[in-house]
Amino acid sequence: MDDPLPEQMRAAGTALLGALDESAQARATHRFDDGARRWLEYRPRPRPGVCLADLDRAGRKAAHRLLATALSPAAYAQAMAVVALEEVLDRAEGWRRGRHSGDYWVAVFGDPARDDRWAWRFEGHHLSVSMTVVDDQVSPAPVFLGANPAAVRHAGRPVSRPLGVEEDLGRALLDAIGPAGRAAAIVADDAPADIVSATRPNVAGQIAPLGVPADRLGPTGRALLDQLVAVYLDRLPPQLAAREARRLAGGPLHFAWAGPTGPGQRHYYRVQGDDLLIEYDNTADDGNHAHTVLRRPASDFGADVLAAHRAEAHG
């Protein structure tokens, strides 16, 4: 059976543009070859596109329906928790910066109703999701989710912890691999200030040191590493997640950790494989400000499907 996702995404992109008035549509749409298509910005900075706060209800709902085509139900719930944290963070900062949950932007590159090549991005503070569609093939990534505060607690119990699974599985893996595995996995005593790939549109090669290879882990450690990778792949809709899992099956994986291993301390980990980069950090604000990203360094922003398109066109 053909993959229904490209058509679902195309329909949602077309519906979004149809829901916008002329001014909003002009701000939302860009040429496919616009340099702003290769863009990742998870900080509260100006960004291309149209702001959801400037749209009416129909426009905002259309933007959310487009976002939902790219995320699994669980990841969409995480994304909505991230959006809501803007209000929590603004209160914690004494309302000084005017952060608001409408400060998320959507941009469409090309015409989803007509073009063979088009792309879109939904982005704001701590959320950036980019999808590229070429010849009815969806190329996902980068997919960034962050959380500040990473955890809100009451009487020691979590009230909000959108990225808790990502943290807990990383810690469980580190615990399970034993002293020898940890000695190979821990590549630095101090965690980096942010994810290493940061907001760069290109990640050139793998990040060194690689850490511990999967084939040096015992059965429990390997199973937990596979679960950790699955958590990030499962941010995507099931058909995309399954495709990515098949692509990675049997290939090499490495796990690296930086920083202390105890809870509540600033820490970082990454997983790398063939055209796979997963990064997690919880280093700012005394270890209560998390960033996570799923990237495909050789295929981000549709590089894989665009290369196939060019090969077919010239072949």
Coordinates of all heavy atoms in Angstrom, one line a residue, residues 49-101:
G49 N 8.5 33.3 8.4 CA 7.2 32.7 8.5 C 6.2 33.6 9.0 O 6.4 34.8 9.2
V50 N 5.0 33.1 9.4 CA 3.9 33.8 10.0 C 3.7 33.3 11.4 O 3.8 32.2 11.7 CB 2.7 33.7 9.2 CG1 2.1 32.2 9.1 CG2 1.6 34.6 9.6
C51 N 3.5 34.3 12.3 CA 3.3 34.0 13.7 C 1.9 33.5 14.0 O 1.0 34.1 13.6 CB 3.7 35.2 14.6 SG 3.6 35.0 16.4
L52 N 1.8 32.5 14.8 CA 0.5 32.0 15.1 C -0.4 33.0 15.9 O -1.6 33.0 15.7 CB 0.6 30.7 16.0 CG 0.5 29.4 15.2 CD1 1.7 29.3 14.2 CD2 0.5 28.2 16.1
A53 N 0.3 33.8 16.7 CA -0.5 34.9 17.4 C -1.2 35.8 16.5 O -2.1 36.5 16.9 CB 0.5 35.6 18.3
D54 N -0.7 36.0 15.2 CA -1.3 36.9 14.3 C -2.4 36.3 13.4 O -2.9 36.9 12.6 CB -0.2 37.4 13.4 CG 0.8 38.3 14.1 OD1 0.5 38.8 15.2 OD2 2.0 38.4 13.6
L55 N -2.7 35.0 13.7 CA -3.7 34.3 12.9 C -5.0 34.2 13.6 O -5.0 34.2 14.9 CB -3.2 32.9 12.5 CG -1.9 32.8 11.8 CD1 -1.5 31.3 11.5 CD2 -1.8 33.6 10.5
D56 N -6.1 34.0 12.9 CA -7.4 33.8 13.5 C -7.4 32.3 14.0 O -6.5 31.5 13.7 CB -8.5 34.2 12.6 CG -8.5 33.4 11.3 OD1 -7.9 32.3 11.2 OD2 -9.3 33.8 10.4
R57 N -8.5 31.9 14.6 CA -8.6 30.5 15.1 C -8.5 29.5 14.0 O -7.8 28.5 14.1 CB -10.0 30.3 15.8 CG -10.1 28.9 16.3 CD -11.5 28.7 16.9 NE -11.8 29.6 18.0 CZ -13.0 29.7 18.7 NH1 -14.0 28.8 18.3 NH2 -13.2 30.6 19.6
A58 N -9.1 29.8 12.8 CA -9.0 28.8 11.7 C -7.5 28.6 11.3 O -7.1 27.5 11.0 CB -9.9 29.2 10.6
G59 N -6.8 29.7 11.2 CA -5.4 29.7 10.8 C -4.5 28.9 11.7 O -3.7 28.1 11.4
R60 N -4.8 29.2 13.0 CA -4.0 28.5 14.1 C -4.3 27.0 14.1 O -3.3 26.2 14.2 CB -4.3 29.1 15.5 CG -3.7 30.5 15.6 CD -3.8 30.9 17.1 NE -5.1 30.9 17.7 CZ -5.9 32.0 17.6 NH1 -5.6 33.1 17.0 NH2 -7.1 31.9 18.2
K61 N -5.5 26.7 13.9 CA -5.9 25.2 13.9 C -5.3 24.6 12.7 O -4.8 23.4 12.8 CB -7.4 25.0 13.9 CG -8.0 25.4 15.3 CD -7.5 24.5 16.4 CE -7.8 23.1 16.3 NZ -7.3 22.3 17.5
A62 N -5.2 25.2 11.6 CA -4.7 24.7 10.4 C -3.2 24.5 10.5 O -2.6 23.5 10.1 CB -4.9 25.6 9.1
A63 N -2.5 25.4 11.2 CA -1.1 25.2 11.5 C -0.8 24.0 12.4 O 0.1 23.2 12.2 CB -0.5 26.5 12.1
H64 N -1.7 23.8 13.4 CA -1.5 22.7 14.3 C -1.8 21.4 13.6 O -1.1 20.4 13.9 CB -2.4 22.9 15.5 CG -1.8 23.8 16.6 ND1 -0.8 23.4 17.4 CD2 -2.0 25.1 16.9 CE1 -0.4 24.4 18.2 NE2 -1.2 25.4 17.9
R65 N -2.7 21.4 12.7 CA -3.0 20.2 12.0 C -1.9 19.8 11.1 O -1.6 18.6 10.9 CB -4.3 20.3 11.2 CG -5.6 20.4 12.0 CD -6.8 20.4 11.2 NE -8.0 20.5 12.0 CZ -8.9 21.5 12.1 NH1 -8.7 22.6 11.3 NH2 -9.9 21.5 12.9
L66 N -1.2 20.8 10.5 CA 0.0 20.5 9.7 C 1.1 19.9 10.6 O 1.7 18.9 10.3 CB 0.5 21.7 9.0 CG 1.8 21.6 8.2 CD1 1.6 20.5 7.1 CD2 2.2 22.9 7.6
L67 N 1.3 20.5 11.7 CA 2.3 20.0 12.7 C 2.0 18.6 13.1 O 2.9 17.7 13.1 CB 2.4 20.9 13.9 CG 3.3 20.4 15.0 CD1 4.8 20.4 14.6 CD2 3.2 21.3 16.3
A68 N 0.7 18.3 13.3 CA 0.4 16.9 13.7 C 0.6 15.9 12.7 O 0.8 14.7 13.1 CB -1.1 16.9 14.1
T69 N 0.7 16.2 11.4 CA 1.0 15.2 10.4 C 2.5 14.7 10.5 O 2.8 13.6 10.1 CB 0.8 15.8 9.0 OG1 1.8 16.8 8.7 CG2 -0.6 16.2 8.8
A70 N 3.3 15.5 11.2 CA 4.8 15.2 11.3 C 5.1 14.5 12.6 O 6.3 14.0 12.7 CB 5.6 16.4 11.1
L71 N 4.2 14.4 13.5 CA 4.5 13.9 14.9 C 3.6 12.8 15.3 O 2.4 12.8 14.9 CB 4.5 15.0 15.9 CG 5.4 16.2 15.7 CD1 5.1 17.3 16.8 CD2 6.9 15.8 15.7
S72 N 4.1 11.8 16.0 CA 3.2 10.8 16.6 C 2.4 11.5 17.7 O 2.6 12.6 18.1 CB 4.1 9.8 17.3 OG 4.8 10.3 18.4
P73 N 1.3 10.8 18.1 CA 0.5 11.4 19.2 C 1.3 11.8 20.4 O 1.0 12.9 21.0 CB -0.6 10.4 19.4 CG -0.7 9.6 18.1 CD 0.7 9.6 17.5
A74 N 2.2 10.9 20.8 CA 3.0 11.2 22.0 C 3.9 12.4 21.8 O 4.0 13.3 22.7 CB 3.8 10.0 22.4
A75 N 4.5 12.5 20.7 CA 5.4 13.7 20.4 C 4.6 14.9 20.2 O 5.1 16.0 20.6 CB 6.2 13.4 19.2
Y76 N 3.4 14.8 19.7 CA 2.6 16.0 19.5 C 2.2 16.5 20.9 O 2.2 17.8 21.2 CB 1.3 15.8 18.7 CG 0.5 17.0 18.5 CD1 0.8 18.0 17.6 CD2 -0.7 17.1 19.2 CE1 0.0 19.1 17.4 CE2 -1.5 18.2 19.0 CZ -1.2 19.2 18.1 OH -2.0 20.3 17.9
A77 N 1.9 15.6 21.9 CA 1.6 16.0 23.2 C 2.8 16.7 23.9 O 2.7 17.7 24.6 CB 1.2 14.8 24.1
Q78 N 4.0 16.1 23.6 CA 5.3 16.8 24.1 C 5.4 18.2 23.5 O 5.7 19.1 24.3 CB 6.5 16.0 23.7 CG 6.7 14.7 24.5 CD 7.9 13.9 24.0 OE1 8.0 13.5 22.9 NE2 8.9 13.7 24.9
A79 N 5.1 18.3 22.3 CA 5.3 19.6 21.6 C 4.3 20.6 22.2 O 4.7 21.8 22.5 CB 5.0 19.5 20.1
M80 N 3.1 20.2 22.5 CA 2.1 21.1 23.1 C 2.5 21.5 24.5 O 2.3 22.6 25.0 CB 0.7 20.5 23.1 CG 0.1 20.3 21.7 SD 0.0 21.9 20.7 CE 1.6 21.9 19.8
A81 N 3.1 20.6 25.3 CA 3.6 20.9 26.6 C 4.8 21.9 26.5 O 4.9 22.8 27.3 CB 4.1 19.6 27.3
V82 N 5.6 21.8 25.5 CA 6.7 22.7 25.3 C 6.1 24.1 25.0 O 6.6 25.1 25.6 CB 7.6 22.3 24.1 CG1 8.6 23.4 23.7 CG2 8.4 21.0 24.5
V83 N 5.1 24.2 24.2 CA 4.5 25.5 23.9 C 3.9 26.1 25.1 O 4.1 27.3 25.4 CB 3.4 25.3 22.8 CG1 2.5 26.5 22.6 CG2 4.0 24.9 21.4
A84 N 3.2 25.3 25.9 CA 2.6 25.8 27.1 C 3.6 26.4 28.1 O 3.3 27.3 28.9 CB 1.7 24.8 27.8
L85 N 4.8 25.8 28.1 CA 5.9 26.2 29.1 C 6.3 27.7 28.9 O 6.9 28.3 29.7 CB 7.1 25.3 29.0 CG 7.0 24.0 29.7 CD1 8.2 23.1 29.5 CD2 6.7 24.2 31.2
E86 N 6.0 28.2 27.7 CA 6.3 29.6 27.5 C 5.6 30.5 28.5 O 6.2 31.5 29.0 CB 6.0 30.1 26.1 CG 6.9 29.6 25.0 CD 8.3 30.1 25.2 OE1 8.7 31.2 24.9 OE2 9.1 29.3 25.8
E87 N 4.4 30.2 28.9 CA 3.7 31.0 29.9 C 4.3 30.7 31.3 O 4.4 31.6 32.1 CB 2.2 30.6 29.8 CG 1.5 30.8 28.5 CD 1.5 32.2 28.0 OE1 1.8 33.1 28.7 OE2 1.1 32.4 26.8
V88 N 4.6 29.5 31.5 CA 5.2 29.1 32.8 C 6.5 29.8 33.0 O 6.8 30.4 34.1 CB 5.4 27.6 32.9 CG1 6.1 27.2 34.2 CG2 4.1 26.9 32.8
L89 N 7.4 29.8 31.9 CA 8.7 30.5 32.0 C 8.5 32.0 32.2 O 9.2 32.7 32.9 CB 9.5 30.2 30.8 CG 10.9 30.7 30.7 CD1 11.7 30.3 31.9 CD2 11.5 30.3 29.4
D90 N 7.5 32.6 31.5 CA 7.3 34.0 31.5 C 6.9 34.4 33.0 O 7.4 35.4 33.5 CB 6.2 34.5 30.6 CG 6.3 35.9 30.3 OD1 7.4 36.5 30.2 OD2 5.2 36.6 30.2
R91 N 6.1 33.6 33.6 CA 5.7 33.9 35.0 C 7.0 33.8 35.9 O 7.2 34.7 36.8 CB 4.7 32.9 35.5 CG 4.3 33.1 37.0 CD 3.3 32.2 37.4 NE 3.0 32.3 38.9 CZ 2.0 31.8 39.5 NH1 1.2 30.9 38.9 NH2 1.9 32.0 40.8
A92 N 7.8 32.8 35.7 CA 9.0 32.6 36.5 C 9.9 33.7 36.4 O 10.7 34.1 37.3 CB 9.6 31.3 36.2
E93 N 10.0 34.4 35.2 CA 10.9 35.5 34.9 C 10.2 36.8 35.3 O 10.8 37.9 35.0 CB 11.3 35.5 33.5 CG 12.1 34.3 33.1 CD 12.4 34.2 31.6 OE1 11.6 34.8 30.8 OE2 13.4 33.6 31.2
G94 N 9.1 36.8 36.0 CA 8.4 38.0 36.4 C 7.8 38.8 35.3 O 7.6 40.0 35.3
W95 N 7.4 38.0 34.2 CA 6.7 38.6 33.1 C 7.5 39.7 32.3 O 7.0 40.5 31.6 CB 5.3 39.2 33.5 CG 4.5 38.4 34.4 CD1 4.3 38.6 35.7 CD2 3.8 37.2 34.1 NE1 3.5 37.6 36.2 CE2 3.1 36.8 35.3 CE3 3.6 36.5 32.9 CZ2 2.3 35.6 35.3 CZ3 2.8 35.4 32.9 CH2 2.1 34.9 34.1
R96 N 8.8 39.6 32.5 CA 9.7 40.7 32.0 C 9.8 40.6 30.4 O 10.0 41.6 29.8 CB 11.0 40.7 32.6 CG 11.0 41.1 34.1 CD 12.5 41.2 34.6 NE 13.3 40.0 34.4 CZ 13.3 39.0 35.3 NH1 12.6 39.0 36.4 NH2 14.1 38.0 35.0
R97 N 9.9 39.4 29.9 CA 10.2 39.3 28.5 C 9.0 39.1 27.6 O 9.2 39.1 26.4 CB 11.2 38.0 28.3 CG 12.5 38.2 29.1 CD 13.4 37.1 28.8 NE 13.8 37.1 27.4 CZ 14.8 36.3 26.9 NH1 15.4 35.5 27.7 NH2 15.1 36.3 25.6
G98 N 7.9 39.0 28.2 CA 6.7 38.9 27.3 C 6.6 37.6 26.5 O 6.0 37.6 25.4
R99 N 7.2 36.6 27.0 CA 7.0 35.3 26.3 C 5.6 34.9 26.3 O 4.8 35.2 27.2 CB 7.8 34.2 27.1 CG 9.3 34.4 27.2 CD 9.9 33.3 27.9 NE 11.3 33.5 28.4 CZ 12.4 33.3 27.7 NH1 12.3 32.8 26.5 NH2 13.6 33.5 28.2
H100 N 5.2 34.2 25.2 CA 3.8 33.8 25.1 C 3.6 32.6 24.2 O 4.5 32.3 23.3 CB 2.9 34.9 24.6 CG 3.3 35.5 23.2 ND1 2.6 35.0 22.1 CD2 4.2 36.4 22.8 CE1 3.2 35.6 21.0 NE2 4.1 36.5 21.4
S101 N 2.6 31.8 24.5 CA 2.4 30.5 23.8 C 2.0 30.7 22.3 O 1.9 29.7 21.6 CB 1.4 29.6 24.6 OG 0.2 30.3 24.8

